[in-house]
Amino acid sequence: MTIPLPPAQGPFTGNDPSGPETGAYEEDERGLSLWRGAWRRLRRNPTAIVGALIVLAFVVVAIIAPWLTPYEPGSTQWSGEVSPTSVPGPSPDHLLGLDRFGSDLYTQMLFGARQSLVYGVVSTALGLSVGTLLGVLAGGLGGWVDTVIMRAVDIMLSIPSLLLAVSIAAVLGQNAYSIMIAIGVAQVPIFARLLRGSMLSQNKGDYVLAATALGIRRRRIIIGHVLPNSVGPTIVQATLNLATAIIEVAALSFLGLGESDPAVAEWGRMLVAAQDRFEAAPRLALLPGFAIAVTALGFTLLGEAMREALDPRTRR
Amino acid sequence: MATTAVLAGAALLLSSCAESERGNGGEEGTEGEAGGGTFVFAGAAEPELLDPAFASDGETFRVARQIFEGLVGTEPGTADPAPLLAKEWTVSEDGLTYDFTLETGVKFHDGTDFNAEAVCFNFDRWYNFPEGVQSDDFAYYYGKLFRGFAEGPKAGEGIYESCTTDGDDKVQIQLNSPFAGFVAALSLPALSMQSPTALQEYQDDAASNVNTTDYSTKHPTGTGPFKFESWERGNQVTLSRNDDYWGEVAKVDTVRVVAIEDAKARATAVQQGEVDGADLIGPADLQPLEDAGMQIMAREPFTVLYLGMNQKTKPLNDIKVRQAIAHAIDKEEVAAASLPEGSEIAINFMPQSVTGWTDDVTTYDYDPEKAKRLLQEAGADGTTLEFNYPTDVSRPYMPSPADTFNVLRSQLEAVGLKIKPVADVWSPDYLDKVTGSADHGLHLLGWTGDYNDSDNFVGVFFGTQTDEFGFDNKELFDKLAQARGIPTVEEQTPLYEEINQDVAEFVPAVPIAHPAPSLAFGPDVTGYQTSPVNDEVWSSVTVGD
Amino acid sequence: MTVTSEFLDSSAAPAGVHQGRGNLNGDGTLLSVRDLAVTFGVRGQREARAVDEVSFDIRPGEHIGLVGESGSGKSVTSLAIMGLLPDRGVKTSGEVRYDNENLLTWSSRRMSSLRGRDIAMVFQDPMTSLNPVVPIGTQVTEILRRHFELSKGDALARAGELLQKVGIPDPKRRLKEYPHQLSGGMRQRMLIAMALACEPRLLIADEPTTALDVTIQAQILELLKELVADTGAALLMITHDLGVVAGLCDKVNVMYSGRIVESATRRVLFGNPRHPYTGGLLESVPRLDSPRGAPLTPIPGSPTNVLPWTHGCAFAPRCRNAVDDCRRVTPALRPDGDRELRCHNPLSDDLPDDQRTDA
Amino acid sequence: MLRFVLRRLALLVPVLVGLSILLFAWVRALPGDPARALLGQRATPEGIARVNELYGFNEPVLQQYLLYVKALLNGDFGRSIQTGQPVLESFFEKFPATVELGMSALLLAIVVGVPLGYYAARHQGRFIDTAIVSGSLLGVVTPVFFLAILLKLVFAQWLGWLPTSFRQDARIDATHITNFYVLDGLMTQEWDAAWNAMVHLALPAIALGTIPLAIIVRITRASVAEVMHEDYVRTAESKGLSPAVISRRHILRNALLPVTTTIGLQAGLLFAGAVLTETVFAFNGVGQYLFSAISQRDYPVLQGYILFIALIYALINLAVDVGYGIIDPRVRVS
Amino acid sequence: MRDPVTAQSAEPVATPQDDDVLVSVRGLKVHFPIKGGAILARTTGHVYAVDGVDLEIRRGTTLGLVGESGCGKSTLGRAILRLSPVTEGSVWIDGVDVATLQGEELRRQRQNMQMVFQDPLASLNPRQSIETILTEPLRAHGIAFDARTKVRELLDKVGLPASAARKYPHEFSGGQRQRIGIARAIAMEPAFVIADEPVSALDVSIQAQVLNLLEELQDELGLTYLVIAHDLAVVRHVSDEVAVMYLGGIVEQAPSDDLYSEPLHPYTKALMSAVPVPDPVVEENRERILLTGDLPSPSNPPAGCRFHTRCPFRQETRCDTERPELRELRPGHRVACHWAEEIEAGTITPRAGAVTGGGGDEAGSLSFDQRG
């Protein structure tokens, strides 16, 4: 929330006795680092709380899925009860009914969370680590390394990311790894460019000049000064990318490039499989669709809140 | 099957309705006896080109059947040959000489007369195809049926000898070795009659890519009830009524063929009235469409769906395991769960109407206990089998592969096998894997017959050693080669029956069903005549009320 | 309405400028601020009183200074007078009397027709105070066209004259240019030209030279002085720089933490500061004219080390003169001889008697 | 400005060359044989060998690449393996569809998004703002394909208001000159054809436009909220200008600068969304064709199309930067 | 990167052996290339940020460098510390020509030369605690120390409590941050410290604290300062000697008192007359020399005397053609003006209209008196 105040003359600096500065001389407590400050702001932000609750629920469900259902995921043992025109709805045995393959929809939904979490986290972690590495190399070393890396990044960015992911998935074949790699690789240029950009802008900061003036080694400046101050946006982006990754996994599944087993609980695949049972059982499509959206919403809210918390402009 | 009969009856009923409702006129109110209007039909893909001589795909043939006619057609609703441009024909004793008497007064759309000379022009054109188009991706059917060309790598292997005219309406085709399916084969659109004038003017058989010649894209010229109007690539093919048609003139003014890849989308398009009819409706969509007042038709099945087994892999090389798998499958359930109504349960690898079909074969009844026992005997219980199936495809014999796979999987797992699903995109990944490599275990595949010929089924499947099945059974291969060479259908029959029995014993695959491809039409469409071999000409169709 | 052209023709008598444009308040003041208080409230946080108990008068043609450090509330005061504080989260009380009416009660529509015409403002940062994507000509003409019914051409011609007046060479060309094509000094001249375009009765200048270099600052101050004298407008000068007010203002109000702590004519104030804060400021700033080596006496602590006024004197934590009362009793602004003072223990009065006008 | 454009175009060259190499390698790394895709279920080994020979796929890759580049320089992008149609020709047949779809989506996003974002910013913290912000968040996180399915279900299947597939009703006899169907309809004065094309655009455009819409709402809101507190807005207020002038000239004109950049970025990203949207709505455009080319291993089409898309993507970004220079005088001089 | 056009003073300067002089700058130039070109980036011009500067600072004294923004004073400061690339010239600090040092040698040398920055918040890494900030340079130079004592001692020196060690920069007020910046600069006990606008970002009431602190530390540690500022009063207050900079060059340099009592360069005169003094009496009676126009662009400096475009004393000859050398007019008082003597003697007077005030605004005073 932006507070409408005349710039540079905020009235709070003068009159708020609880301001952080008054105590600076007296109390011997541990200082409030930027990370802790951001964490504090995050905890007070309702957006962050909603986001975190969604994410938490999602993660918990993903982890304890096996204990929430008596059935095995992907078990098609009730396939006999399903026909092209009828899919049994909710019943005491099957809280959400069966899906078109005769699996328990409730179980599939739970394990879908697990799939999405694994796909999202692994692919984002891949994109993040490779992208960060490239970004640090480009932003830190500069010169021809920077040029080469950034040209490569430009090339990758010249193809829309979903298309890139589709292409990579097509090369690697239909399996879980190829999806994770495809989506991870498609994220690499985003992180590389982001980190490099923020490192370059941090490089211009006075404190970097100060560190140089102090005779601190270049490598140490990059790792100890520039990088820690540059990772904020990257962390935010990673959180937001988790949302994108979960959606893109579903999109790849939707395009038929996903996990190959039709009974595997993957929300995107469930959605595409449900399409031709739409009249008979709309819930088969609606539930996974909403699950994707809500999960993505959770990560997005959290990311936005983190962005706000880490933004130096919102610091008091 | 009872349902089939009912549906076939319905189709007939529809066509008779058409008679009575004729003349009520479409929205455009064109003059003449025809009903007028536009008939929009959705296939699953767009045609590859419009010269059927170079085509082998159903979508090209669908359009070609409206524009072109062959010497021979089919009896309505069956796969049996019937006179078309040829009024009658005779075959010599040795099966090498065929005499055709032609319809007279027939003209191609460009005004060229259809006569004996035109017939010979077509036969000679096929025979003299340059080497560039002799490959499977172009003159597939001619190459397969006549086995060779005038020149090129297969020069001299051809069975075509000559074509001679006798006046305008008599033509004699001479073969150099007998071919029992010759007349039936002439009903294939690939062998339909095309205008010599147009071909000479617009077609270049020696072009580096015959798909894009003027003839193949803009000037296909035949004798059929519809004339080519335009082809907007990726969009639609438009045909208009041939008012000078030699037979009964078509009822609608215009016909448009559009492509909707997704089965679900085709069904929706029919329901929304965006198209008047659509082919290959998925089993799941049939009931909703019917409920919405749409008409559903099923072709008499001329297909076969089977569960293939790769004998290159263990333990599928063990016949006991293959038998066990055959016993483990409840074909009725598979059909109920994943195939359209009207599908028949299969015991042979060919539909009942094809020569050589017999019920005197080993049938592996659904018997999970026996299956378990057999597996135990083979020491294969609990083995993990790779099961390949395609995604994102609907074929006439396999409208919903994922569903079919799913039922089969639970049945196989029920007898103690473990299934490892491997799904691939149909083309080329799946085909590559299943028919082009040994890297597969169980798989789903099938066939749609092109015309009434036994070799077109079993011969294709089991005639040689293939990557698909991975077995080498010389006896079987020889029998099939021998059967193919027999000049008359009557003589072929017992041999094919024997072959079917042998195959059933050997279990290289489990025939599951003969799925009935379903079509759907809007409530105001009448007169659509289904054909098991897709020989559906839309001259009797009317739209609107 | 006809446009008065006296501003453009400096030979005309300044007295005639504001004829027919509102009256003075009953007490002869142009603008009278009484007990102005501004409170900022943000959801989830305690309300913060940025300005409190602020009162001062501005008479026609008078130059009033408002001096204080950042956070002292001087800018908030000016924005409150202009009605430019946001509606939400801000509570304003007290009175800003103009034309015998309280501006604080005016509707925003009425205020907007007053702004720019009767009361105009020049802001601190000329770099950010001009719209970067609108040509200079438009930015000058829009105020003219808003307040006078002028055609586009007339407004443009007049804008050209205005630019000339504030010393911008080649005004025709400049009018087509954008702010970034001007130097800082030029931009401030632009802002002054805009502020004086409608010949307001009061000009509020909020740190108009802080962002400028010292030679440019001198130019701008000179220009302001000149133009304000020409148009006969009153001037409210807001600054942290005591030097600026010393040469410019008739009367100076020193603010600390939202309240006026000392108020006097400039000679009195600079000659004999009595509030420890005023005195401290003067002693802590190096002066060009003082002998070198004269030690600086800094004010300890920082402007953020303050007490809330409700608990005593806000300056007490930094004050050398602080007595016990300062931390307990809130001092009031009381007349103290030739000035008004808010202090329990002011600095000694060490001026010779002849310069004093004791009450 | 011209220098800037030239420089940017020059910088594009290495990217495109790099991309063409990458594409060439990648396309050939795709498993599966294009010949198989062409010949289908009945392919024989001889047939496959013959097709591969025909298209030169059994030459060394480097040689293939050189031949490809040589042809490219002659303006020959090759022919589709599947249809035999020249790549360039098919691209220009399908491109109008995608452009039409993308433009409608973008237009929708701008026309609805900017006012909504502005309105929200001006009513910050109120209920309506919260509603708009929440709505835009939902818009961002709802997968395109899910939204497309939902729209199809509700508006086409349940309500029956709008068509589900194609660009135009097949029953309409429309003349197609430019392949922009709406434009064609207007040009030929076939009003019903134009209207029909627009009706067909409705659902795909909404599905495709929702994410850009949501993003534009958010950017506009943030940007307006920031600009509202700029010094020059305060200056404008101190000049007594009317709220309308302040909004239009001083707030919006500045606030729209970042929005422009966003619009440009989104325009580029629409290609990705178009693959999904066109698939769901059987909308015969570049996206759908490209996707089928991937599954069919249609090398020439893949190479050509992706190069084109990258080029267009880059040109859009360049256009945005140039446009930015036109509306932001600060950029103009440098 | 040496600019061939301006490389006339490239002859080696003898190592200054005067032990009294700690810092000696000779012919220092810093030219930044301007990149342009339609397709390939090439240099289309230069910004002559620092264009031939000679300076000497004696041990334990303070040199004040004053000038308006854009005159190159900060660049000069940074170039001396090798934080900006040096185009040409030498910088001898404590007997070492740092302008020629590279890599590790240069890094080592930094122990001896330090900097205090203008913006105390921006120059402190926001993610480091004060303790880390203060000890990091010691570690970097491998200086053994006891962290607790050292930090406590440094904080004590700059007047901050020991409890500050574990806090972070944003938790302090501006003045306190600047104290931290100073503590960091003296942590390695350098001989030479450059303070670049050390107080201009601070509130007026705080400035004196920091200025006093700098003086105390100089006395205590024998530091040598180069204080860069735009505020003449501040510079005068802290400096033993003052150099006035205009558009990349020094125009006048003299002991502090001399400069302020008798400015010789027209620019210095104008600058000093422009500074407002918080004393109404002084203000009312001052003569003010007003300069016209703005600072010319350093990428295209005027020919001849760089100040001639704005100089109220400008003469017909020499000013626009010949660049004046810095010459010693009096002992220790150097000025770069062709006409300095004549101006001082009063034979050259400023242009009409350039001087205002003097005698005060009588009308204003009058009305004030009436009202009072």
Side-chain angles (χ1 to χ4, degrees), chain E residues 107-120:
Chain E
R107 195 183 73 77
R108 289 262 150 226
Q109 190 60 30
R110 294 198 183 282
Q111 277 185 64
N112 210 26
M113 46 187 205
Q114 276 307 309
M115 186 146 177
V116 175
F117 292 85
Q118 170 175 7
D119 183 346

Side-chain angles (χ1 to χ4, degrees), chain B residues 174-186:
Chain B
Q174 194 76 38
L175 303 180
N176 56 28
S177 79
F179 174 24
F182 177 67
V183 168
L186 287 181

